[in-house]
Amino acid sequence: MAATDAVVGSGIKGVTRASGAGAISPGATAAAGRPRSEQTHRAILDATLALLSEVGFAALTVEGVASRAGVGKATIYRRWASKLPLVVEAFDGLPGFEETDTGTLAGDLKAMLSGYLKNFLATPLATVYPSLAAERSHNPALGEVLDPVLVGRRRPLDAALERAVARGEIAADTDLEMASDLIVGPIAVRLFFRGARIHPAMVDDMVELALHGIKRASPTTAAADESTGKR
Amino acid sequence: MAATDAVVGSGIKGVTRASGAGAISPGATAAAGRPRSEQTHRAILDATLALLSEVGFAALTVEGVASRAGVGKATIYRRWASKLPLVVEAFDGLPGFEETDTGTLAGDLKAMLSGYLKNFLATPLATVYPSLAAERSHNPALGEVLDPVLVGRRRPLDAALERAVARGEIAADTDLEMASDLIVGPIAVRLFFRGARIHPAMVDDMVELALHGIKRASPTTAAADESTGKR
DNA sequence: ATAGAATCGAGACGTATAGTATCGTAATCT
DNA sequence: AGATTACGATACTATACGTCTCGATTCTAT
C-alpha cells in the first residue's frame, strides 16, 4: 500500500496547487515523515523557466520539466495539479516593473515601461502572458491563482498613478484601474494580439497618447510638453 | 496508390491553408476529378464554430469537428493543415464591428464598441481571441494568416478615426494605428488578461478616457464635454 | 460511353503526452 | 527503532494528432 502520498487540493480541473508543504504558516497539521525538498521545488521551477524560454508554453510538457529538473513526474504532480499552476508560480518569480519615482507621471511611466519592455517583454518568456490569458478564458479557476500574481506585478504602475493623484497631477476622482488598463492595453494588444514589435522610442509616444488622449494627439505638442501643466 | 489527393502548402508547422480548390480565380490549373464540396466546407466551418462555443479553443479537436460535421478527418486535413488555420477561417466569418457614422468620433466609437461587446465579446466565442494570440506567439507563421483577418475586423474602427481626421476633430498627424490600439487595448486587457467583465455603461467611460487622456480624466468634465473643442 | 483523377466518409495506424499508480529507496519525525 | 512520507523511475490507460488506406462517388477529358 502506498499510503497517502498526496491528496489533490480543491481545484477544479487541476488548477490549484496540489498540497502545500511549502511555506505554510506554523501551527498547521503536523507533518510526519520525510518533508518535501525545497531544493527540488526550486529545481522544478528553474527547469520550467528554462523550458518556457526555449520551447514556449504550448510545447512545455510536464515530462520535459521532470527530465530537465531530474525529478520524477509524480514529484511534480504532488505539488502542482497541472502545468498551469506550475507555470503561474514560475511566472511569479519573473522580472516585473522596476519601481521608479521621477517626480512626474510621464517620467515614471516611460521609465518603467521601457525597462519592462527591455527586461521582459522583449524576451521569449513574454509569451507566457498570452498563453495564460488564453488558458484563463477556458478555465476560470485559473484566475484565482493568476489574479493575485497579476495584481502584484502591476503594483508599481498603480503606485505611480497614486503618486500622481497625490501630487495633483491628475484628477482625484480618476478611475485608476481604467487608467492602468489604458496604459498597459495598447502595448499588450500590439505585442500579443497583433504580433507587432515595439521600438523603445515608441513607448514614450504611447505614454503621451494615453496621458493626453487621442483628441490631443499632436506629436510636436506632446514632445514639447515636458512636465509643464501648460496647455 | 492513392494518387495525389493533396499537397500541403508552403506552411511552416502546418499553419497555412492546405490546398485551394475553393474560390480561386478562373484560368488557374484546370482541376480534374471530383471537385471539393462547398457544402462540406461550410459544414466543417459551422461545426468548428459550434464546438468553439461549446468547449472552447483548447478543447477543440479535429476529430471532434469531423464527427460533428459528419465528415472524415482526412477531408479536413485536405483543406486545412491543422486546427489553427481552420479556426482562423471560421473566426473570419464571425460578427465584427458594425460600421457606424454618428458624426462624432466619440459617438462612433461608443456605438461600435458597445455593439461589438454585446454581439461578440460577451459570447463564449470571444475566447478564440486570446487563444489565437497565444498560438501566434509560438508560431509566427500563424500571423501571416491571422493578420489580414484582424486588420479587416478592425477596419470600421480605423474608418471612424479617418473620418475624425477629415472632420478636423483630431489632429491630422495623429498616429492612427496607435490611436486604434489605445481604444481597443484597455478592453482587450480587461477582458482577456485580467478576466474582468465590462459593463455596457463602462464602454462610454473607456472611450472618453482614451479620447481625452488620463490627465483630463474627470468624469464630470468628460461627460459634459460634448463635441466642444473647448478647454 | 469510357477512362482517369480527385473527392468523399470511415477508420486503422504509430506517436506523443496527460495524469495515475506502483516500484524500491531515502529521509525525517516521534 | 519504527512509522511515515517524499523521492526517482517507470509502467500504465486514455486521448488526440496527423498519416494512410479503403471502397465508393463525382467530376473532366477524350
Side-chain angles (χ1 to χ4, degrees), chain B residues 96-101 105 108-109 112-113 116 149-163 180:
Chain B
F97 292 121
E98 216 164 309
E99 195 92 45
T100 312
D101 187 352
L105 180 57
D108 290 356
L109 294 178
M112 287 193 285
L113 290 176
Y116 190 53
V149 175
L150 295 181
V151 168
R153 302 201 109 231
R154 211 192 265 195
R155 188 77 201 93
L157 222 58
D158 295 337
L161 286 167
E162 284 159 15
R163 286 195 301 270
S180 177

Side-chain angles (χ1 to χ4, degrees), chain B residues 5-7 17-22 31-41 74-80:
Chain B
D5 217 62
V7 178
R17 297 217 13 197
S19 72
R34 179 177 179 177
R36 292 190 188 162
S37 160
E38 204 54 48
Q39 198 172 326
T40 300
H41 202 84
T75 302
I76 294 179
Y77 281 109
R78 208 176 283 119
R79 297 159 193 248
W80 297 277

Side-chain angles (χ1 to χ4, degrees), chain B residues 47-155:
Chain B
T48 303
L49 288 177
L51 286 174
L52 275 177
S53 269
E54 290 169 27
V55 305
F57 176 88
L60 183 81
T61 69
V62 175
E63 284 181 328
V65 172
S67 99
R68 170 70 73 106
V71 306
K73 282 205 304 179
T75 302
I76 294 179
Y77 281 109
R78 208 176 283 119
R79 297 159 193 248
W80 297 277
S82 74
K83 87 170 175 178
L84 278 166
L86 168 61
V87 168
V88 170
E89 185 166 335
F91 178 61
D92 197 18
L94 261 30
F97 292 121
E98 216 164 309
E99 195 92 45
T100 312
D101 187 352
T102 64
T104 66
L105 180 57
D108 290 356
L109 294 178
K110 288 174 185 174
M112 287 193 285
L113 290 176
S114 56
Y116 190 53
L117 181 68
K118 198 173 112 186
N119 295 332
F120 181 65
L121 295 182
T123 71
L125 251 354
T127 61
V128 257
Y129 227 121
S131 297
L132 289 176
E135 293 295 333
R136 90 170 295 159
S137 65
H138 299 307
N139 195 342
L142 174 60
E144 288 164 31
V145 186
L146 185 57
D147 280 339
V149 175
L150 295 181
V151 168
R153 302 201 109 231
R154 211 192 265 195
R155 188 77 201 93

Side-chain angles (χ1 to χ4, degrees), chain A residues 24-181:
Chain A
I24 287 191
S25 51
T29 36
R34 178 177 177 176
R36 292 190 187 161
S37 160
E38 205 54 47
Q39 198 172 325
T40 300
H41 202 84
R42 278 249 51 91
I44 295 170
L45 289 178
D46 289 346
T48 303
L49 287 177
L51 285 174
L52 274 178
S53 269
E54 291 170 26
V55 305
F57 177 88
L60 183 82
T61 69
V62 175
E63 282 181 329
V65 173
S67 98
R68 171 70 74 106
V71 306
K73 282 206 304 179
T75 302
I76 294 179
Y77 281 110
R78 205 176 284 118
R79 298 159 194 249
W80 296 278
S82 74
K83 88 170 175 179
L84 278 166
L86 168 61
V87 168
V88 171
E89 186 166 334
F91 178 62
D92 197 16
L94 260 30
F97 291 121
E98 216 163 310
E99 195 94 44
T100 311
D101 188 352
T102 63
T104 65
L105 179 57
D108 290 357
L109 294 179
K110 288 174 186 175
M112 286 193 285
L113 290 177
S114 55
Y116 191 52
L117 182 67
K118 199 173 110 187
N119 296 332
F120 181 66
L121 294 182
T123 71
L125 251 353
T127 61
V128 255
Y129 226 120
S131 297
L132 289 175
E135 293 296 332
R136 91 170 294 160
S137 64
H138 300 307
N139 195 341
L142 174 61
E144 288 164 31
V145 186
L146 185 57
D147 280 337
V149 175
L150 295 181
V151 169
R153 301 200 110 231
R154 212 193 265 193
R155 188 77 200 92
L157 223 58
D158 296 335
L161 286 168
E162 285 159 13
R163 286 196 302 270
V165 170
R167 251 187 255 119
E169 200 178 351
I170 63 178
D173 59 354
T174 305
D175 184 335
L176 294 188
E177 188 177 295
M178 205 179 275
S180 178
D181 287 342

Side-chain angles (χ1 to χ4, degrees), chain A residues 168-169 211-212 215-216 225 228-231, chain B residues 212-213 215-218 221-222 224-231:
Chain A
E169 200 178 351
L211 289 182
H212 300 296
K215 285 218 174 179
R216 260 195 90 231
D225 180 11
T228 0
K230 84 119 193 293
R231 206 276 137 145
Chain B
H212 301 295
K215 284 219 173 180
R216 262 195 88 229
S218 166
T221 317
D225 180 11
E226 275 295 314
S227 83
T228 0
K230 80 119 196 292
R231 209 279 137 159

